[in-house]
Amino acid sequence: MLFRPQKIVCIGAGYVGGPTMAVIADRCPDVQVTVLDLNAERIAAWNSDTLPVFEPGLSEVVSRTRGRNLYFRPQAEGLAALAEADIVFISVQTPTKTAGEGAGKASDLQYVEACARLIAEHARGHTIVVEKSTMPVRAAERIQQILSANQAGGTFAVLSNPEFLAEGTAIRDLQQPDRVLIGGEDPAAVVALKSIYASWVASEKILTTGLWSAELSKLAANAFLAQRVSSINSLSALCEQTGAEVSEVATVVGADSRIGPKFLQASVGFGGSCFQKDLLSLIYLCEHHALPEVAAYWQGVVDINEWQKRRFAEAVQQAAVNRRVAVLGLAFKKDTNDFRESAALTVCRALLHSGCEVVAYDPRVDGQRFAAELGNPAQFSLASSAAQALAGAGAVAVLTEWEEFRSIAWASVKLSPGATVCDGRNVVDRAAVQQAGFRLRVIGSAPD
Ligand code: NAD
Ligand code: UGA
């Protein structure tokens, strides 16, 4: 009989580790899953009624599994589980390096390396170590090196199993993935990990590749997705100048089955913790391997995104009839409480820098944390509803596509007379804004 792993540990209880392990525990009731994190507060939240991550469907999965075969433990209390684990996932952050060689571009692997050292010290017997975090290509070499220096006599196989979930749809993406990717050179380890996913994913959707292909495929997939957003965003500017409508152009282009309709929604710019950092990681790898033309190609995707956020902020600033700007939406996309690298951070900073007063509303983001990220400026305040944020504003910046922004009753909104609604997501009811007597600027449409 093939080896069926019984005990799984995941190091890192973040946006990926928490939801992914909850779904594995849900779909594999025979497997015990323990999630460890150095951040005791985060673990306490996973063990409470207020989960640290907001994702549609997540709380239901957690309430079915937590305490049955899913456990969240502070790292120091989970070392026994680590010793017994058949599989250990590494699901910690891999942010852009801020110092040292490659600063500003290369991925910072210090958190991953700390996990490898912890596993080397505590694992017993044979352990399959899985890279779940997004890594630069050939990072597994470094993990193998650290593991092989262990003194405790354990043996290891290293696999790459990058995660493709998107925030806001994480549970659906995990339950019905387009594909699961397992990269590795050890057939027994690949089969063991495959047996976990095969509990709910059709085998033709479980792709197996070499380690380096798996690592690079993850960076490539994010780069392709980001490139589509920058492509449509670059054209949004041309639409605004020419009277073409970007949503119509996207529909026509996307109707070609070779191109497809997804990821062609023009916006104020992509955000999130991964697109930019993964593009920068890819760019660094290209530079490191003396491929400056390839690096420049992908740098263009990052540059268009920065430009798009900047030019949107400038448009809001110029449109404002007084210094008060209402910002609707702080999350980097709808249905998440995550604001890492959100376009709202860039736009709010630019508005504040130009002397505007910003009143912001988001239905899910912890506004205090957002304000702290901005440095708690005196000119930034939070509203508890869209209507409250809008009262008296001289301009409105819609930065996240929350459903509730589609149905704002503009006729009863108390904006300053002559105020402009700047829609960076193409979600507001255009006719309602115009009937209420306000000016409108929508990304990718000629201004009215
Ligand atoms: P996150 O910051 O939400 O979570 C990482 C967690 O790891 C944190 O809670 C942190 O305290 C913990 N941690 C760090 N070092 C640790 C250590 N040595 N021991 C124990 N815990 C430690 O990050 P995330 O968004 O879950 O992303 C994790 C990885 O997954 C990244 O490489 C990211 O690129 C990738 N990824 C993220 C997403 C996403 O949607 N967020 C999707 C696919 C892939
Ligand atoms: C993205 C990928 O979609 C996931 O497959 C990947 O696993 C993940 O990155 C990761 O590696 O972290 P995520 O960043 O959570 O997921 O969300 P997306 O839906 O990809 O959106 C990213 C950004 O692009 C958001 O700011 C979104 O508003 C923007 N976007 C997306 C657009 O502006 N237009 C679009 O058409 C699509």
Side-chain angles (χ1 to χ4, degrees), residues 3 35 63-64 103 115 143 179 195 197 230 306 371 439 446-447:
F3 168 60
V35 190
S63 64
R64 277 202 293 276
C115 294
I143 294 178
R179 80 305 211 184
S195 83
Y197 287 106
S230 278
E306 287 304 308
R439 299 175 68 89

Side-chain angles (χ1 to χ4, degrees), residues 72-200:
F72 293 95
R73 302 249 188 274
Q75 186 134 295
E77 294 168 26
L79 298 176
L82 195 56
E84 290 176 359
D86 301 312
I87 298 183
V88 180
F89 286 89
I90 299 178
S91 188
V92 297
Q93 65 270 43
T94 48
T96 304
K97 274 178 92 168
T98 53
E101 201 195 319
K105 284 187 183 157
S107 296
D108 186 347
L109 296 183
Q110 62 165 306
Y111 306 96
V112 170
E113 291 180 3
C115 294
R117 283 193 291 277
L118 189 82
I119 298 166
E121 189 182 342
H122 293 280
R124 297 288 175 268
H126 185 66
T127 311
I128 300 170
V129 177
V130 181
E131 294 178 355
K132 179 54 91 180
S133 300
T134 302
M135 308 277 201
V137 58
R138 297 196 81 93
E141 241 166 16
R142 178 78 187 119
I143 294 178
Q144 272 159 341
Q145 201 181 29
I146 295 172
L147 293 173
S148 62
N150 83 89
Q151 302 295 311
T155 57
F156 302 96
V158 177
L159 300 178
S160 166
N161 170 223
E163 184 49 60
F164 295 103
L165 69 79
E167 291 179 30
T169 52
I171 297 303
R172 195 184 67 207
D173 295 342
L174 288 163
Q175 289 174 338
Q176 297 157 34
D178 283 352
R179 80 305 211 184
V180 166
L181 173 57
I182 301 176
E185 317 304 333
D186 178 330
V190 171
V191 167
L193 182 56
K194 203 172 169 180
S195 83
I196 295 295
Y197 287 106
S199 303
W200 78 97

Side-chain angles (χ1 to χ4, degrees), residues 29-81:
D30 60 318
V31 177
Q32 186 176 315
V33 182
T34 307
V35 190
L36 309 179
D37 205 296
L38 282 176
N39 183 339
E41 209 180 307
R42 210 166 211 194
I43 289 293
W46 279 110
N47 283 320
S48 78
D49 290 338
T50 314
L51 301 181
V53 169
F54 170 74
E55 279 293 336
L58 175 64
S59 61
E60 290 83 345
V61 177
V62 170
S63 64
R64 277 202 293 276
T65 49
R66 197 175 53 194
R68 181 190 78 183
N69 64 330
L70 176 66
Y71 306 93
F72 293 95
R73 302 249 188 274
Q75 186 134 295
E77 294 168 26
L79 298 176

Side-chain angles (χ1 to χ4, degrees), residues 283-304:
I283 291 162
Y284 178 74
L285 282 167
C286 295
E287 287 171 349
H288 181 79
H289 291 282
L291 298 166
E293 292 80 2
V294 188
Y297 175 76
W298 292 109
Q299 182 65 47
V301 175
V302 177
D303 292 346
I304 285 287

Side-chain angles (χ1 to χ4, degrees), residues 131-427:
E131 294 178 355
K132 179 54 91 180
S133 300
T134 302
M135 308 277 201
V137 58
R138 297 196 81 93
E141 241 166 16
R142 178 78 187 119
I143 294 178
Q144 272 159 341
Q145 201 181 29
I146 295 172
L147 293 173
S148 62
N150 83 89
Q151 302 295 311
T155 57
F156 302 96
V158 177
L159 300 178
S160 166
N161 170 223
E163 184 49 60
F164 295 103
L165 69 79
E167 291 179 30
T169 52
I171 297 303
R172 195 184 67 207
D173 295 342
L174 288 163
Q175 289 174 338
Q176 297 157 34
D178 283 352
R179 80 305 211 184
V180 166
L181 173 57
I182 301 176
E185 317 304 333
D186 178 330
V190 171
V191 167
L193 182 56
K194 203 172 169 180
S195 83
I196 295 295
Y197 287 106
S199 303
W200 78 97
V201 180
S203 68
E204 64 273 17
K205 288 195 171 181
I206 305 179
L207 310 182
T208 52
T209 66
L211 262 177
W212 317 136
S213 300
E215 289 176 333
L216 184 55
S217 298
K218 172 63 195 176
L219 292 182
N222 272 0
F224 271 61
L225 290 168
Q227 178 219 45
R228 282 174 74 98
V229 179
S230 278
S231 295
I232 199 70
N233 280 347
S234 71
L235 294 177
S236 72
L238 189 58
C239 288
E240 289 163 27
Q241 297 295 322
T242 57
E245 177 67 47
V246 77
S247 56
E248 293 179 347
V249 174
T251 303
V252 175
V253 171
D256 185 326
S257 62
R258 294 169 300 177
I259 298 172
K262 293 182 182 169
F263 262 75
L264 291 177
Q265 181 72 49
S267 68
V268 53
F270 61 73
S273 60
C274 293
F275 275 2
Q276 175 159 311
K277 85 151 164 78
D278 291 348
L279 280 162
L280 293 173
S281 174
L282 185 62
I283 291 162
Y284 178 74
L285 282 167
C286 295
E287 287 171 349
H288 181 79
H289 291 282
L291 298 166
E293 292 80 2
V294 188
Y297 175 76
W298 292 109
Q299 182 65 47
V301 175
V302 177
D303 292 346
I304 285 287
N305 196 51
E306 287 304 308
W307 176 74
Q308 184 78 342
K309 290 186 280 186
R310 241 184 6 251
R311 82 181 183 90
F312 185 84
E314 277 163 21
V316 176
Q317 217 174 294
Q318 279 163 16
V321 289
N322 63 38
R323 302 317 291 160
R324 187 182 160 104
V325 176
V327 163
L328 299 187
L330 300 174
F332 79 98
K333 60 185 284 196
K334 72 171 179 177
D335 290 342
T336 176
N337 60 346
D338 194 351
F339 61 82
R340 290 177 291 178
E341 302 295 330
S342 164
L345 284 168
T346 312
V347 172
C348 287
R349 281 193 187 110
L351 291 171
L352 292 163
H353 185 73
S354 71
C356 292
E357 178 199 339
V358 173
V359 188
Y361 166 71
D362 186 287
R364 289 284 174 186
V365 165
D366 178 340
Q368 308 291 348
R369 283 184 47 226
F370 188 93
E373 182 72 24
L374 292 177
N376 289 318
Q379 299 296 90
F380 180 84
S381 61
L382 295 164
S384 55
S385 66
Q388 194 187 37
L390 292 167
V396 183
V398 181
L399 304 182
T400 311
E401 72 281 24
W402 288 106
E403 287 305 317
E404 68 175 82
F405 300 155
R406 292 182 191 277
S407 52
I408 291 174
W410 292 100
S412 54
V413 157
K414 305 271 180 288
L415 286 178
S416 244
T420 302
V421 178
C422 300
D423 183 356
R425 293 289 186 167
N426 194 9
V427 287

